[in-house]
Amino acid sequence: MDRSSQIKKLKRIAEFDIVIIGGGATGLGIAVDSTTRGYKTLLVEANDFAKCTSSRSTKLAHGGVRYLAQGDIAMVYEALNERGLMAKNAAHLVRKQPFVIPNYNTVDGYYYSTGLKVYNWMSRSLSLGKTKFLNKEETVERLSTLKQEKLKSGVVYFDGQFDDARFAINLAQTAVENNAVLLNYFKATKLLKKEDGKINGVTIFDQFTQEKIKVKSKVVVNATGIFIDDILKLDDKNSEQSIVHSQGVHLVVDSKHLPGKNALMIPKTSDGRVLFAVPWHKKVIIGTTDTQVDGAREEPIALEEEIEFIITTFNKYINATITRKDVLSVFAGLRPLAKPKGDKDSKEISRSHKIAISASGLVTISGGKWTTYRKMAEDTIDKIIRAHKLPDADCITKELSIHGNVAKKSLNKKNPLHWYGADLHAIESLENQNPAYAEKIHPNYPFTMAQVVWAVKQEFAETVEDVLARRTRLLFLDAKAAIEAAPAVATCMQTLKGKDNTWKDAQIKAFSKVAKHYLIS
């Protein structure tokens, strides 16, 4: 399951039913839905799958407590239902996460307890656990580093936590296993049109070989997230801006700053958002921010004020304060939000998704969130069918297991590689067959060379960044360690791909250039 085999398959198909531009959560979800309904499906991604927004989330599969407070009941209900389906269909990647809200006045305790019981009730049979009011002692027992001065009580509720980039890769594998063609590092450069102006295909450009390929298709879907307007310009050079970009920043610190299994949820911050501190891969992710920025970037960079905001806010709630030196990695992501009417703050813009079909037939989906990726895909294909662009076929993704899914009871959570699910035995087999593959890519982390081999042969990894950022997540956990691991990973990939030293050196240099933005000086 690699890129070269997908290119060969592409060239054997005269016409596709659907071509999807964009390989993030939205595009990958549409590819899975489309191909499992029986449509000939192609997805092209200009970079790596989940390179941008879809690998930079807070790693939560959730309904959105903040949206409940804003009164967006429909969205919360939909997201809670989808959260339950994610937990069922990808049990190896989605797990139950307890969140504790500390209350420093009596009124807040009852307010959040009541609101979160409603939140839990809305999830019904897909609930992950009951909301519970905690006294001061119980709150501190769950969050041992929490500041206790004036602490009155706490509330514990349950939501979902997952690995976003790993989920994206497993979605890609699921689509391919169901006969879709998926290509990373292929850029859509032109929309092909008939004499009547209707789209009937797309020209794609191989970023590695510089080859241009014309692909015929009955439908083209624009699922490019933060780059949606770029594709709309290909369709109509006079198209107006349709989205704005909101930046979210996260800091990663050692688990000693928030030991244990419980996450901290701070419901009121100075910027009007909630702030989470969540255990993840034996580290703690703290975030996020909501800063409106101009333009889309593949590698957005955290602003100094965003970093300081997170550190300052987190330190108000824990005993031992963190400093910039404690930050192992900082990552920023951009949210594509529907352009609002009037002067509306980005955190107030609805996260619900929107699907539009232009006069040329281009289908564009915008908005949404990771948790609702499946429903967004279902709605997109349903709308295409209603527009009489494809024959009717039922959606089956509610019951579709994602690649790697295994029963929760068979997961060994103590194994740091349990995120591979059904593929774990294959990783272990590689390590047993070749002692070199059992070697760690960095002495401080459990990732091994077998994962590099697996990433290249089975997970479409083409670059050192693909492996260290989105297949193993080391860049997001510890940027300095990732930079140190890059030469060994590049050497292994060089051998697997039959590349020369020039390729290896260029890969190390390119990765180091990206990774330095994840460091705090």
Side-chain angles (χ1 to χ4, degrees), residues 31 63 117 242 301 322 331 336 374 387 450 481 520:
K117 284 179 179 177
S242 66
I301 298 172
I322 63 169
F331 61 92
R374 191 211 64 82
I520 291 183

Side-chain angles (χ1 to χ4, degrees), residues 62-83:
H62 64 143
V65 174
R66 181 165 63 93
Y67 309 133
L68 181 63
Q70 292 174 349
D72 197 344
I73 303 300
M75 182 174 183
V76 174
Y77 182 81
E78 178 180 271
L80 284 171
N81 183 69
E82 292 302 316
R83 179 195 70 178

Side-chain angles (χ1 to χ4, degrees), residues 21-22 187-189 191 221-246 293-297 335-340 356 362-367:
I21 306 172
K187 185 182 176 94
T189 57
L191 298 175
V221 177
N222 175 11
T224 52
I226 59 175
F227 298 107
I228 276 175
D229 286 333
D230 291 350
I231 304 300
L232 289 174
K233 288 286 186 184
L234 289 181
D235 183 34
D236 177 3
K237 64 181 181 181
N238 297 315
S239 66
E240 296 182 355
Q241 180 184 354
S242 66
I243 61 170
V244 294
H245 302 100
S246 168
V293 295
D294 294 328
R297 300 181 57 169
R335 309 175 188 93
L337 306 178
K339 188 178 180 181
L362 178 67
V363 180
T364 298
I365 177 163
S366 58

